[in-house]
Amino acid sequence: MKDLKLDILNRADDDIIDSLVPFSSDDKKTKKRILAMSEKKLAELQRGSESETNEISVRGVEQYRRPVWYRPLCAAAAFVVMAGGIGMLTLLNRTKGNQFDDPDEINIAATTEADTTETNTEADTTEVQTTEAATEAQTEINGHTFEEMKGIADELLPHWIEARNLYSKPNIDTSGEQLKIWSSHFEEDLIYYKINNPHFTSYDELISYYSPYFIDPVSQFYCYRIDGDDTSVLKNDENIHGMIEYKGELYAHEYLTPTVPDYAADTPISEKPSQIREDSFRWERVTICQPDDEYLGSGSGGWVAILDMEFIKDDDGVWKIASCQPSSVEKESFDAESGSSTEATANQISAETNTDYDTVYDTVREYLKNEYDYTGIVTINLADQLYDNVEIINDNYVNNNNWISCTCSSLLHDGSLLTIFLDENGTIFAKNITH
């Protein structure tokens, strides 16, 4: 069972992963190569690949040392476009896509130099007026200040940490109650351990418990629900489900996900907002990797952990977590002042298409919300070809292989993974759904 299990999970979703970015989170040299490419403002072109006939799909399972099949974001890091000094003042005049600098830099940039009119000492001194500093530090962008957004992120991050570790090893009693389900497809027993949580027992209770913190808890916690007590429905299932509900109780697959350390308790070395809208924003929080961090595959103080979070205000005006994407890079390669690889992609999209990144971002978010009720993070890249199983949903598009791909980082409500495609004018014309 062990060998089969590892083989299954190592091959899970590779057609999707490899089509996004040819990258392994276990390969430090590859990480450095990807980062170097980002710094040169190059973005990896998205490529598709045909799924194998007997490919095994894993739903709701995060893969060890390949976090949440999100290897693309180890290269992308986070949605952050930074500007300093004069660039900050320029951004304040824009109506969308505005972003903050580091909070300390905001205070510094907010000061204005005054011409020296008197020299009362031997050393000439240029006085700097700081009367407007406090006001400028609280400048609103699309209705939000840096401190406001930081407060939202700090308040909600611990809930994401808790939720992410829901069925990791420290929170599951592997010596306790377990459920064996015979799989004819794998010709093995699939082992599930009961989740013993004081806050909930059933899936509905889980969703209710996390609803105050997540804008869409269903997509955050995909669960296969078995009606009644007949487990034979999974007998020929080609999927391994990370969490199932059986007789009103929750069970996690024996291949448990590694634990994310409590990075909410660590002092960040960098914090930056981006994609600031009236009812949403993204937040990048960077801390030193904890030594026991198996999730990001580094486990070394020489690496930094990057949490790329997105927050959305619900219809009642309450801020909630839309998604959180962890990744890591070597500390020596991380530069808090430089733009991320997402900035390189944004610049490339604006330069090589007839639209701009902000327009694509808003178009995609609106489409995904309206069509799929999806509010999580989206990975955006240029693409020169389509997947083999892509469905054309709009024939009126520019067919020149100069396209934009947008992949949902979280699962849809039915447990599938979605990628949509836009032409160079920003028109959505195709989609690919992997079940």
Side-chain angles (χ1 to χ4, degrees):
M1 179 59 184
K2 182 177 180 180
D3 293 339
L4 175 63
K5 174 189 65 180
L6 294 178
D7 179 64
I8 289 170
L9 293 172
N10 283 333
R11 292 190 290 115
D13 286 331
D14 277 346
D15 56 330
I16 295 298
I17 300 170
D18 295 336
S19 69
L20 292 171
V21 178
F23 175 75
S24 169
S25 63
D26 293 333
D27 188 343
K28 296 182 181 179
K29 292 183 179 179
T30 305
K31 285 183 177 179
K32 295 179 71 174
R33 176 174 58 83
I34 294 295
L35 184 61
M37 294 173 66
S38 300
E39 291 172 345
K40 294 179 181 179
K41 305 299 183 182
L42 297 180
E44 186 71 25
L45 297 180
Q46 190 173 39
R47 299 186 180 277
S49 61
E50 183 177 1
S51 299
E52 297 179 5
T53 303
N54 296 321
E55 187 70 21
I56 298 166
S57 174
V58 181
R59 296 186 181 182
V61 176
E62 299 181 25
Q63 303 172 26
Y64 182 71
R65 297 177 68 87
R66 296 193 307 179
V68 216
W69 68 92
Y70 297 152
R71 294 186 295 183
L73 293 190
C74 287
F79 268 70
V80 181
V81 181
M82 294 300 298
I86 297 176
M88 179 61 191
L89 299 179
T90 303
L91 288 177
L92 292 176
N93 293 324
R94 296 182 58 182
T95 59
K96 64 178 181 177
N98 298 303
Q99 301 173 351
F100 283 103
D101 279 332
D102 183 90
D104 292 332
E105 293 181 357
I106 294 177
N107 289 304
I108 296 173
T111 62
T112 55
E113 293 186 0
D115 293 334
T116 301
T117 57
E118 297 180 1
T119 16
N120 298 321
T121 61
E122 293 183 0
D124 292 339
T125 304
T126 302
E127 295 183 357
V128 179
Q129 295 180 353
T130 60
T131 55
E132 299 180 6
T135 300
E136 292 296 332
Q138 294 299 316
T139 297
E140 292 187 352
I141 293 184
N142 286 337
H144 309 299
T145 65
F146 180 94
E147 290 303 324
E148 175 197 357
M149 290 183 286
K150 173 177 170 56
I152 293 169
D154 288 347
E155 179 181 355
L156 291 175
L157 178 56
H159 297 291
W160 179 84
I161 296 287
E162 176 194 74
R164 169 54 188 74
N165 293 329
L166 174 63
Y167 44 89
S168 59
K169 294 178 181 179
N171 297 308
I172 299 294
D173 182 9
T174 55
S175 64
E177 184 178 343
Q178 63 178 245
L179 180 66
K180 291 184 179 181
I181 299 178
W182 172 256
S183 172
S184 297
H185 182 78
F186 301 122
E187 297 184 347
E188 294 283 353
D189 279 326
L190 300 182
I191 310 299
Y192 287 83
Y193 296 108
K194 185 177 179 180
I195 299 176
N196 296 309
N197 192 293
H199 302 297
F200 47 79
T201 299
S202 68
Y203 183 62
D204 287 340
E205 291 173 349
L206 181 153
I207 296 302
S208 177
Y209 175 77
Y210 282 109
S211 290
Y213 315 117
F214 288 86
I215 198 74
D216 183 12
V218 174
S219 67
Q220 294 293 322
F221 308 97
Y222 175 74
C223 178
Y224 184 90
R225 308 177 78 170
I226 300 176
D227 294 329
D229 57 2
D230 185 10
T231 61
S232 65
V233 294
L234 296 178
K235 182 177 181 180
N236 296 313
D237 198 331
E238 297 181 6
N239 302 302
I240 295 179
H241 302 282
M243 180 168 60
I244 63 174
E245 183 184 61
Y246 177 68
K247 293 183 177 181
E249 297 186 312
L250 298 175
Y251 294 81
H253 187 260
E254 66 175 328
Y255 191 82
L256 304 174
T257 55
T259 304
V260 172
D262 187 11
Y263 284 118
D266 289 356
T267 301
I269 61 175
S270 173
E271 291 183 289
K272 301 174 184 177
S274 64
Q275 297 299 328
I276 305 167
R277 304 293 188 265
E278 182 179 355
D279 60 355
S280 66
F281 67 92
R282 297 183 73 152
W283 187 265
E284 178 194 74
R285 190 175 191 274
V286 184
T287 57
I288 300 298
C289 271
Q290 295 190 16
D292 58 347
D293 187 354
E294 296 179 340
Y295 180 71
L296 294 176
S298 56
S300 170
W303 286 67
V304 296
I306 303 171
L307 298 182
D308 179 19
M309 299 173 281
E310 185 151 13
F311 301 94
I312 292 179
K313 185 186 295 184
D314 68 8
D315 294 337
D316 295 325
V318 179
W319 286 100
K320 297 181 179 180
I321 303 167
S323 188
C324 181
Q325 176 62 67
S327 61
S328 62
V329 297
E330 288 183 291
K331 183 179 179 181
E332 63 181 21
S333 301
F334 176 75
D335 183 0
E337 304 304 320
S338 67
S340 67
S341 60
T342 300
E343 181 181 357
T345 301
N347 292 337
Q348 191 176 18
I349 288 175
S350 299
E352 298 186 17
T353 69
N354 296 324
T355 186
D356 62 85
Y357 185 87
D358 282 338
T359 299
V360 170
Y361 178 85
D362 290 335
T363 299
V364 169
R365 293 307 303 270
E366 181 179 5
Y367 173 83
L368 293 175
K369 173 60 179 177
N370 293 339
E371 297 295 325
Y372 297 96
D373 196 24
Y374 179 84
T375 54
I377 288 179
V378 179
T379 304
I380 303 177
N381 277 300
L382 285 173
D384 61 359
Q385 59 180 314
L386 304 178
Y387 300 152
D388 292 330
N389 297 320
V390 162
E391 175 187 356
I392 303 298
I393 58 177
N394 185 353
D395 293 326
N396 186 24
Y397 70 98
V398 181
N399 190 2
N400 62 353
N401 295 86
N402 186 31
W403 303 313
I404 304 166
S405 67
C406 305
T407 299
C408 298
S409 297
S410 299
L411 297 177
L412 301 182
H413 287 182
D414 63 356
S416 58
L417 186 65
L418 171 67
T419 298
I420 62 175
F421 294 86
L422 298 81
D423 67 10
E424 64 175 19
N425 294 326
T427 300
I428 297 175
F429 71 92
K431 64 181 181 180
N432 180 68
I433 298 180
T434 302
H435 295 283

